[in-house]
Structures are given as structure tokens and as C-alpha cells.
Amino acid sequence: MTQLLGKIRSTPLLWLLVFVPVVLFTEHARPEAHVALFLLSVLAIVPLAAMLSLATESVAEKTGDAAGGLINATLGNLTELVIALTALAAGQYALVKASIAGAIVTNALFMLGASFLLGGLRHHVQDFNRVGARFQASMLFIATVALLVPSAVATADHVADPVALQHLSLMLAVLLIGGYVLGLFFSLGTHKEAFASSEHEAHGDAMPIGIALVTLAVITVLVAMVSHIFVASVEVAGAALGLSPAFVGFIVVSLVGGAAEFASAFSAARKNRLDLSVSIALGSAAQIALFVGPLLVLLSYVIGPMPMGLDFWPGAIVMMLIAALSAAMLTNGGHSTWFLGVLVLMVYAIFGLTLYVLPPAQ
């Protein structure tokens, strides 16, 4: 515990943890101050993400990068799940679908590209386990195809039966969750030797595993609480700032919701642990597509005003498909440089600018 407190005192970024009680108090005292709550929640999530990064790296030192990446992706995606559940209960299905599509694209492009860039600026060429990367990219591509089929078929064949589309979405949700569970059994069970990380030096500043796990649990709860405040204010604040709901869900919610994963992935890349960065980025994107999205479809029958389908607007279909194909191609070689990261970030910037200038019709 002394080591953890010392880390907080010596890291200026972690001083922003003071905004956690501030935003919780403000939400209680002035719940109508949406713009202020939006800005304060962002300032609170950033240091919580950094703390989550420190704890996850310490766990990864003991479990290996494959399991460490899975732990980080799961806990990081909890933020997106809380945001989506809040919007789901409120019937804001457009925001839910935008956040799903945005999380897939942001993790597969922004997180991966920024990891390549930051790691490449410190290390000339970086290597990573291409088997693990290809596995995650393949899982992401298959899941993306399943997410795109309802929309593509309905648009191309002019299907106007919402009940049939909902039944298809329900069956695909169950299929994807089953595939995700089998994928975990494959990568962490029967063929875990193929996903072993390259050797790296242990870091002496890693927290003991017990302290790291407790920190993960506490920070995850705080992230969920702050995320609830964030999603309650983001739509009104976005409108006040002139942002469309699609841009808010696709870009803003995805960037803020993925802050914990970004911190871990970027830190690992700078330490030449690109296996962990790639595992977090692609593992998180695949988990959103294979598990979180389908789970929201199932939960919509319980907490939503009506069942939600897996149909997305055409622009989201194109962006998710391009993101999945780009991730598959970029990780096929098992090597990266800083300029490769620049190219990936340019693709993401193209998507963001397009959504900002040409938002889809609601």
C-alpha cells in the first residue's frame, strides 16, 4: 500500500484523482449542470484509467501478456458496458449502437495505431506475436460480419419485417457469445502455448499481485460510477457543444470509455511490450463485437423499452468493416514502426472528420 501511495504522489497525472470526489459531489448537488458534469467526469476518468493501467501491468507481470490483455480489455470494456446499459434503459438505441460501432473502430484503429506510434518513437522496430494478433483480428472480422449481416440484408433486399430482423439479431447474439467463449477456451486453454509473449524484462516497480487485484476492483467500481455520470450528461452536453448524437456515441463515448485500456496499451508499447498492447487493442475490439454488443441485445429484452436489433446505419457498417480488415492486414507481419501507426491514425481521423461534418440522419 505504501508503494501505491508513493506512486500516486510521484505521478502528477494521478493528482487528478481529486476530481473523482468532486464530480460525485457535483452530481449530487447540481445534477442539472450537464456541461460541467461532462467535463468533470472526463477529468476524473483519465487518472482512474492511469491507475487501472498500473494495476493491469502488475497483473500481466504474473499472468503473461495474453491473460493480462484479456483482463484489461474486460475491465476496460466495463466502462463501455455501463454507458451502454444506461442508454439502453433510457431507450437511446441510436446512442447504444453508435457506442458499439465506435468502440470497435476506436479500439481496432485508434488504440492500435497510437500504440504503434508511441512504441515506434522509442524503439526502431517492434515485434509482436503474429499468431495471437491474427487470431484476435480473425475473431473481430467474423464478429463484424455477423453485426453487418442484418443491416446489409435488410437494405439490399428491402426487408421491412422488423420482427424477422429482431429474431435474426437474437440468434446471432447467442451465436456470437458462444463463439467468444470457445475462443477463450482455445487461446487460454487448449492452444495457449501459441499465444505466449516474447521475453521481456520484469519491472521492479510492479505492485504485488494482491494489491494490484484490490486496486483493479476498487478502480473498476469508481470508473463505473463516474461513467454513469458521464453518460447521463453527455447527450445534453454534446448538443450544447454542437455535436451530433452519432459523433458523441461513435467518437466521444468511445474515447472516454476506453481511457483505461488506452493508458495500459500505450504504456506497454513504450516499454516495448507490444504483445500486451496488441492484445488489449484487438482483444477489446473483438470482445465488444463478440460479447458486449450481443449481450446488450439480450439485455434489451429485460431492461429496454423494446428489444434492440443488430442493424446499424450504412456509414457504421462501412467503418466497422474497414477497421476489421485494416487490423487484419496491419498485424499480419508481426512487426510495427511509428509510421505504420501514423497511417492507422489517419484512417481513424478520416472517420471522425466525416462523422463531424456529415452526421447520419437520425
Side-chain angles (χ1 to χ4, degrees), residues 172-357:
L172 290 176
V174 175
L175 180 65
L176 289 176
I177 292 176
Y180 178 69
V181 173
L182 292 176
L184 291 179
F185 182 63
F186 176 80
S187 60
L188 300 178
T190 62
H191 290 70
K192 62 181 179 181
E193 70 282 352
F195 298 86
S197 306
S198 56
E199 294 294 328
H200 58 82
E201 296 181 359
H203 299 281
D205 57 348
M207 291 184 283
I209 187 67
I211 297 298
L213 291 175
V214 172
T215 302
L216 282 175
V218 173
I219 296 300
T220 299
V221 172
L222 291 175
V223 168
M225 294 173 62
V226 176
S227 297
H228 183 80
I229 299 173
F230 171 80
V231 74
S233 61
V234 65
E235 191 170 21
V236 177
L241 297 173
L243 305 176
S244 68
F247 184 88
V248 169
F250 199 96
I251 302 295
V252 179
V253 172
S254 300
L255 289 175
V256 174
E261 300 157 290
F262 299 159
S264 295
F266 299 164
S267 175
R270 294 285 287 173
K271 295 177 181 177
N272 203 26
R273 298 183 62 184
L274 205 60
D275 279 326
L276 181 57
S277 298
V278 173
S279 179
I280 294 172
L282 297 185
S284 180
Q287 191 179 73
I288 289 288
L290 283 163
F291 182 73
V292 175
L295 179 63
L296 291 171
V297 172
L298 300 181
L299 291 176
S300 68
Y301 284 84
V302 180
I303 66 174
M306 60 184 296
M308 185 185 75
L310 287 175
D311 51 310
F312 294 81
W313 76 91
I317 294 175
V318 174
M319 292 179 190
M320 285 191 290
L321 184 59
I322 291 176
L325 292 175
S326 298
M329 290 188 296
L330 293 169
T331 57
N332 190 50
H335 312 285
S336 75
T337 60
W338 67 266
F339 186 67
L340 185 61
V342 171
L343 296 178
V344 181
L345 291 175
M346 287 179 64
V347 177
Y348 184 75
I350 292 170
F351 291 167
L353 290 173
T354 301
L355 278 175
Y356 181 76
V357 179

Side-chain angles (χ1 to χ4, degrees), residues 33-102:
H34 295 291
V35 175
L37 287 172
F38 168 74
L39 297 175
L40 287 173
S41 60
V42 171
L43 290 174
I45 287 176
V46 169
L48 289 174
M51 285 293 296
L52 198 60
S53 170
L54 292 174
T56 302
E57 288 181 18
S58 299
V59 173
E61 290 282 352
K62 304 294 183 181
T63 63
D65 288 347
L70 174 63
I71 292 170
N72 188 277
T74 301
L75 294 177
N77 284 337
L78 180 63
T79 306
E80 279 99 338
L81 182 59
V82 171
I83 292 173
L85 286 175
T86 305
L88 191 69
Q92 300 177 14
Y93 288 174
L95 180 61
V96 175
K97 293 177 182 180
S99 65
I100 293 173

